[in-house]
Amino acid sequence: MRKLRIIMAYSALETVPREIASHPQIRAYAERRRKPPTKVILDKSYHFHAMKSLKDKEMRGRPDMVFAFLLAALASPLNQRGLLEVYVHTRDDYVIFVNPKMKPIRSYERFLGIMEKLFEEGRVPEEGEPLMEIRNMGLEYLVKKVIGTEGIVLLEHGGRLVPPKRIAEMGREYPIVVQGFPRGDFGLEAYKIAKEKAYIFPTILDSWLVADRIIAAYEEISGVYG
Ligand SMILES: C[S@@+](CC[C@H](N)C(=O)[O-])C[C@H]1O[C@@H](n2cnc3c(N)ncnc32)[C@H](O)[C@@H]1O
């Protein structure tokens, strides 16, 4: 059975950028975490004031979207059966490769700690088999060169209305892509390689939930429940 590949693209996951690293809100936060300011993960719920002057601020500082996505994906029966591949692409063109053996991270605080480490070391854990690795590459390179497919199915509000089961069927051929930031359009590369633009329900849903519905539909069509 083919694996389902899901990519969270242009995710709002990054370390604190230099231009706001000296803001008092960031300095106090970094001190609490006992890290240099540029080594902590940017998070709008903690760094709201500091982010006021930041370019594209409405598309940044939402690591909780990645947290929820990974929690749903890694805990799924599909992943437990070894039928899921998960990638997190970030707005700065880093890609996190997630080992299916990675245990779901249930504490948000712990998630932030692991992400800080991942950005610093390039992999976690430092020794032995990597559970997560981060590499510098764009979405198109990931899809075409690493995964080895011609295109993607882009899930976005305003495409064609297609039920999850049908998207799951397309997932046999193409990676399914959800957006990892709260507002606005995907980057241009995503549109360039999109074979299909679709949405599953008339209202805007959380991206982890959309990913979860596709995973559940894929579980059905691949016989995970017998
Ligand atoms: C919170 S939404 C992003 C919101 C949207 N781009 C905007 O400007 O308000 C995050 C992602 O979840 C997915 N998503 C949200 N609602 C969806 C729906 N009804 N059908 C399919 N995907 C959806 C899409 O990948 C979307 O980009």
Side-chain angles (χ1 to χ4, degrees):
M1 188 68 197
R2 266 244 168 126
K3 288 185 187 181
L4 174 69
R5 286 114 352 147
I6 293 208
I7 304 171
M8 180 169 255
Y10 302 97
S11 307
L13 174 69
E14 63 183 308
T15 48
V16 163
R18 229 159 256 297
E19 55 274 31
I20 60 167
S22 57
H23 189 284
Q25 193 176 40
I26 302 275
R27 290 222 313 257
Y29 176 86
E31 236 164 70
R32 273 206 308 282
R33 296 192 67 79
R34 300 200 185 130
K35 296 252 172 186
T38 52
K39 299 231 158 130
V40 297
I41 300 291
L42 184 71
D43 188 329
K44 194 174 211 159
S45 49
Y46 299 115
H47 310 138
F48 185 76
H49 295 293
M51 285 177 68
K52 271 196 176 134
S53 61
L54 207 56
K55 184 174 167 269
D56 296 334
K57 58 177 181 293
E58 59 293 332
M59 299 161 104
R60 300 173 73 172
R62 290 293 308 276
D64 57 295
M65 291 181 72
V66 176
F67 169 71
F69 168 67
L70 286 182
L71 188 55
L74 292 174
S76 66
L78 194 68
N79 189 50
Q80 291 180 32
R81 284 276 185 272
L83 289 174
L84 182 65
E85 264 173 34
V86 175
Y87 303 89
V88 177
H89 163 258
T90 75
R91 52 175 280 112
D92 297 324
D93 275 345
Y94 285 98
V95 172
I96 301 174
F97 292 79
V98 185
N99 186 332
K101 290 186 205 154
M102 171 92 201
K103 296 255 177 311
I105 310 163
R106 297 202 165 76
S107 143
Y108 184 58
E109 276 302 304
R110 207 170 108 64
F111 169 80
L112 289 177
I114 291 173
M115 285 298 143
E116 284 166 358
K117 217 173 181 141
L118 184 62
F119 274 89
E120 193 169 352
E121 314 276 350
R123 54 170 282 167
V124 287
E126 265 172 75
E127 309 263 305
E129 186 185 5
L131 292 176
M132 285 197 280
E133 278 182 286
I134 188 162
R135 284 186 234 151
N136 201 194
M137 71 181 73
L139 185 64
E140 186 173 8
Y141 188 90
L142 169 69
V143 169
K144 293 198 170 167
K145 300 280 191 249
V146 179
I147 300 178
T149 55
E150 269 310 298
I152 54 174
V153 174
L154 203 58
L155 293 185
E156 74 167 351
H157 205 255
R160 189 158 70 91
L161 186 61
V162 179
K165 186 163 172 236
R166 184 68 203 101
I167 307 260
E169 281 159 2
M170 297 177 197
R172 286 186 165 133
E173 192 169 355
Y174 299 115
I176 308 297
V177 177
V178 294
Q179 189 174 283
F181 61 92
R183 213 159 293 125
D185 291 340
F186 281 93
L188 287 181
E189 272 191 20
Y191 294 106
K192 199 175 126 202
I193 58 173
K195 294 282 175 195
E196 172 82 67
K197 282 174 272 183
Y199 66 111
I200 60 167
F201 192 70
T203 62
I204 291 177
L205 304 166
D206 283 6
S207 42
W208 69 266
L209 184 107
V210 174
D212 183 60
R213 296 303 140 105
I214 308 304
I215 290 170
Y218 202 86
E219 286 164 355
E220 291 291 343
I221 65 166
S222 57
V224 162
Y225 300 106

